[in-house]
Amino acid sequence: TATSLLFSVMSAVIPPHFMNFFSMERMPFTNNIGTEFLFQNSMQDDIKHKLRLTVESNSFALLTGQPGTGKSTALRSFTSTLSPEQYCVFYVSISNASPRWLYSVPLESLGIKAHLYVNDARKQFHEELKTQINTYKRKVVMIIDEAHLLTQSYRKYAILEEIRFLLNGDPYESGSLLSLILTGQTEICQTLQDDRCKAITQRIVYICQTRPLLEEQVGPYIAAHLRWAKVTDRIFTPEAVKTIARLSEGYPRLINKLCIHALNYAGLNSEKTVNEHHVELAAKNEVIDVILKNVS
């Protein structure tokens, strides 16, 4: 079979690692690609615009999307535009969150030990917000990630209620002291439908959603990663790109996996271009997302 022939070639010859083989200076198709090289489309531009408005107006934004559609990339791209001299950015993950956790994580990132009780930690956090705003002249941005995990938490409403307190700031002052970005998979919307969440949903000003790439966007997405790797040659054939678009269904995370493994197959066979056969072999043998779909 083609697969057996491939591995017999691989065992007979030990080719260089695909980065050396393709003369790449950086590893493509990873999460740490420079933000200036990230593929931009109208969806990403819309998300950036809404998040910028959120920060400028100290508002509340919700960023959702299916797994692998680029939520983290969108956040990284946006926050890279925020100057540390002008913005103080806090990041909290819901994966270990409790009401107190929402205050202790950002406080400790500033080297401040949070008070034991939630009410005290809340007051302590709001005082630090005022310090950042009034003393350091910085706007505060808080990102609460993995919000979909609230659906699995018996304390989800307590945490959401605490998010409301975050937005309220000083009860004697109008407006919020910070801008808040709540992000997670689309399951968070199921929680927010509950009547107990109206106080939260009524405060959401901007809705941002990530979606899979369109077929015609997959080629430019791949090209952006190759530019990051400082590769000028057209490594992927048009047929390979079409196959990647079909098998990945436009999900960037799957595109990355298919490209990495297809490059490896091509390099191990000493072939200077990646064709649809390499992509199909990668999908069949290496990419668990595709393999599981074909399990009978």
Side-chain angles (χ1 to χ4, degrees):
T1 65
T3 304
S4 300
L5 178 61
L6 174 74
F7 282 103
S8 66
V9 172
M10 290 164 56
S11 61
V13 180
I14 303 177
H17 184 276
F18 76 80
M19 282 187 64
N20 294 326
F21 183 76
F22 289 107
S23 302
M24 294 178 173
E25 294 185 24
R26 297 167 174 155
M27 184 74 170
F29 308 109
T30 62
N31 293 331
N32 64 348
I33 177 175
T35 53
E36 69 274 23
F37 289 89
L38 289 170
F39 171 68
Q40 297 293 323
N41 58 13
S42 58
M43 177 193 72
Q44 294 286 344
D45 291 340
D46 180 63
I47 290 173
K48 268 189 177 181
H49 177 65
K50 288 182 177 180
L51 293 182
R52 173 61 64 178
L53 291 174
T54 300
V55 167
E56 289 177 352
S57 59
N58 278 8
S59 298
F60 182 15
L62 175 66
L63 170 61
T64 67
Q66 296 178 358
T69 52
K71 294 183 295 300
S72 297
T73 300
L75 280 175
R76 190 164 69 90
S77 177
F78 171 68
T79 55
S80 71
T81 67
L82 302 179
S83 165
E85 288 75 30
Q86 296 176 299
Y87 298 93
C88 178
V89 181
F90 296 127
Y91 176 90
V92 180
S93 174
I94 287 291
S95 58
N96 294 311
S98 65
R100 179 179 175 275
W101 188 265
L102 294 176
Y103 304 111
S104 64
V105 170
L107 284 170
E108 288 171 8
S109 72
L110 295 171
I112 301 169
K113 185 172 178 59
H115 292 317
L116 180 61
Y117 296 106
V118 174
N119 289 342
D120 295 334
R122 184 191 304 131
K123 182 178 179 181
Q124 187 183 14
F125 178 74
H126 282 137
E127 289 301 318
E128 183 56 34
L129 286 183
K130 292 177 183 178
T131 300
Q132 292 294 323
I133 295 166
N134 299 324
T135 304
Y136 298 110
K137 307 302 180 185
R138 296 201 295 178
K139 294 178 74 70
V140 177
V141 181
M142 189 163 184
I143 299 169
I144 301 179
D145 201 4
E146 305 288 355
H148 57 279
L149 296 178
L150 284 172
T151 60
Q152 305 166 19
S153 173
Y154 72 97
R155 306 185 73 179
K156 59 185 174 183
Y157 296 112
I159 296 171
L160 285 168
E161 181 69 10
E162 207 59 48
I163 289 173
R164 184 169 68 86
F165 288 136
L166 273 172
L167 292 166
N168 284 348
D170 191 323
Y172 298 104
E173 297 178 1
S174 60
S176 174
L177 295 176
L178 54 70
S179 51
L180 183 63
I181 302 170
L182 184 67
T183 178
Q185 296 173 19
T186 51
E187 292 94 310
I188 183 60
C189 295
Q190 298 171 9
T191 299
L192 294 176
Q193 287 175 345
D194 194 289
D195 286 342
R196 283 173 286 185
C197 296
K198 281 186 178 180
I200 289 290
T201 57
Q202 288 174 355
R203 286 169 167 78
I204 296 173
V205 180
Y206 298 103
I207 305 292
C208 309
Q209 291 180 296
T210 56
R211 298 179 298 275
L213 299 178
L214 301 174
E215 181 179 355
E216 60 268 24
Q217 295 172 331
V218 174
Y221 175 90
I222 293 172
H225 277 263
L226 293 178
R227 283 195 296 274
W228 161 254
K230 296 195 173 181
V231 178
T232 56
D233 294 339
R234 182 170 290 181
I235 294 176
F236 289 80
T237 67
E239 294 75 19
V241 173
K242 287 182 180 179
T243 305
I244 291 168
R246 173 175 58 82
L247 292 172
S248 69
E249 299 179 345
Y251 285 79
R253 187 177 295 160
L254 275 181
I255 295 172
N256 292 346
K257 288 183 181 181
L258 287 165
C259 287
I260 285 290
H261 289 296
L263 281 167
N264 196 45
Y265 273 99
L268 289 172
N269 279 284
S270 300
E271 297 183 37
K272 284 293 187 181
T273 56
V274 177
N275 58 44
E276 67 271 28
H277 179 59
H278 300 131
V279 176
E280 288 168 352
L281 282 173
K284 178 181 177 181
N285 297 315
E286 313 294 347
V287 181
I288 187 65
D289 314 73
V290 179
I291 293 171
L292 290 175
K293 283 184 180 179
N294 296 320
V295 173
S296 56

